[in-house]
Each structure stands twice: as structure tokens, then as C-alpha cells.
Amino acid sequence: MRAFARTFWAMAILAACPALAQAPLADPAKPVVVHVRLLTGEGPIVLEIEKQRAPISAGYFLRYVDQKRLDGTVFYRAVKVAPGFGLIQGGPRNDPKRVLPAIPHEPTTKTGLSHVEGTISFARGAPGTATGDFFITVGDLSSMDADPAQPGDNLGFAAFGHVVEGMELVKHILEEPTSPTAGSAAMKGQMLAQPVKIVSARRID
């Protein structure tokens, strides 16, 4: 009798709250992600940030977002590797008023992510020197993943999410003109003649 009563009241509650009865259950197998909109001077780019699979890098990027440290920065670099392949780079560019202390490097061998098209990842020099500058890939650049079989610095770059809206804008920025003289060393000829402003970066979940 008590079991019947419990079942009766459970059904009554669901009947009174149809939205509750129809709400889908969260998929425990799906990694936790956070969505961020970069509003640029040329339109929005929406990112899915891998908070669960890349907790160090994702958490670091979200600190920049939450503290509004990316507002007013720019996409300043376009690296054209081959037709349809390359990356655009943006961020605080070592601005002491914006950069946060560097974080430990989080390689793709640890996160399980890869630099396929639309991946967002941190720029760096030596491992553990990333300070907020990031890039977005165009085309499959999985050669930027960590590869323990390679000699020397084989830790690759720290991927932590990917573009879910605005990939056409990313490709458009990649194709914008670059200065033939700006930039030093390997970056010479890769700096955008007209950097694209990042007006704001906000969570949208």
C-alpha cells in the first residue's frame, strides 16, 4: 500500500509539472563544456571550451573571459600554411595589465584533443609559458599535437576547445592582408595589416 502511495504521488507531481516530466536527463558520458562568444569587429565567433577534458587550459582561458581581460584585444596574426590551412592568433600580446601568470602545459596526449579544423589552443614558447595568447586552426593541423615519438620539444600545443559558430569568419580573417614588414623572425609577414578587434568575450551558457 505504501509503495502504491509513493507511485501515486510521484505520478501526480509529474502530471502537475509536465516540463519536469519531459526534461531530458543529462548524459553523464558527455564531457562538461562551456560556451564563449567572442564578439569581434567583423562578427561573432562561438567557442565550445573543454572544461572537463582540458581543465587547466580551459580554466585559464575562462579566467581571461570572466575578468574581461580579452575585451579590446585583437586578432593580430594570420599564418597561411597552405591553401585552406593555417591559423589566426589573438590575445593580450604580453600586455602587463592583462596577462595572468603562466600555467603548466597541458598536452593533447593528456586531454585526448587534437588540432583539427576550428580548434582553439594556446600559443607558447617553451612548455609552460602560455600567457593568454591563443590561436584558432583552419584545416587539420594535427601535426601540432604532442608526439612523444619525436625528438626535442615534442609536447605540441595545448588545445582546449573548438569553434561551433563563426568558422567562416575565422577563414575570412585568415585571408585578410598581412604586412610584408611587420613582425620579427618567423612572424615576419604574418602580422595582419589591419588587426581585427575582439570587442568582448563572454560566457553564453
Side-chain angles (χ1 to χ4, degrees):
M1 188 67 179
R2 290 179 180 175
F4 172 79
R6 285 196 298 270
T7 303
F8 173 81
W9 285 113
M11 293 177 65
I13 291 170
L14 291 176
C17 305
L20 179 62
Q22 297 172 9
L25 295 175
D27 182 357
K30 185 176 181 180
V32 177
V33 297
V34 175
H35 292 93
V36 170
R37 178 185 288 115
L38 299 181
L39 179 60
T40 79
E42 298 189 8
I45 300 169
V46 178
L47 306 166
E48 188 169 87
I49 305 302
E50 295 276 0
K51 187 177 179 180
Q52 181 175 334
R53 292 198 286 185
I56 297 172
S57 304
Y60 189 59
F61 182 77
L62 291 172
R63 286 171 63 195
Y64 276 92
V65 171
D66 294 341
Q67 295 175 24
K68 302 181 180 179
R69 291 174 181 265
L70 296 178
D71 293 14
T73 61
V74 295
F75 282 107
Y76 57 87
R77 186 183 182 201
V79 183
K80 301 172 179 65
V81 177
F85 293 83
L87 60 87
I88 63 172
Q89 184 170 323
R93 298 188 71 179
N94 296 317
D95 181 345
K97 295 181 180 179
R98 294 180 183 273
V99 296
L100 294 167
I103 54 171
H105 182 62
E106 193 172 37
T108 53
T109 46
K110 180 178 180 179
T111 63
L113 302 177
S114 181
H115 290 84
V116 295
E117 175 155 290
T119 297
I120 181 170
S121 189
F122 277 125
R124 69 170 178 87
T129 61
T131 54
D133 280 30
F134 61 90
F135 61 87
I136 300 174
T137 59
V138 174
D140 185 339
L141 297 182
S142 53
S143 58
M144 304 180 81
D145 295 350
D147 185 355
Q150 296 300 315
D153 180 356
N154 56 21
L155 294 178
F157 294 84
F160 59 91
H162 63 276
V163 174
V164 291
E165 293 179 27
M167 195 61 204
E168 288 306 313
L169 175 55
V170 173
K171 294 178 180 179
H172 171 73
I173 295 173
L174 178 64
E175 295 305 320
E176 292 199 352
T178 55
S179 167
T181 57
S184 59
M187 291 189 182
K188 189 171 184 179
Q190 299 176 349
M191 312 305 283
L192 288 170
Q194 296 293 329
V196 177
K197 187 173 183 178
I198 299 173
V199 179
S200 63
R202 297 288 184 275
R203 298 192 194 214
I204 57 173
D205 289 318

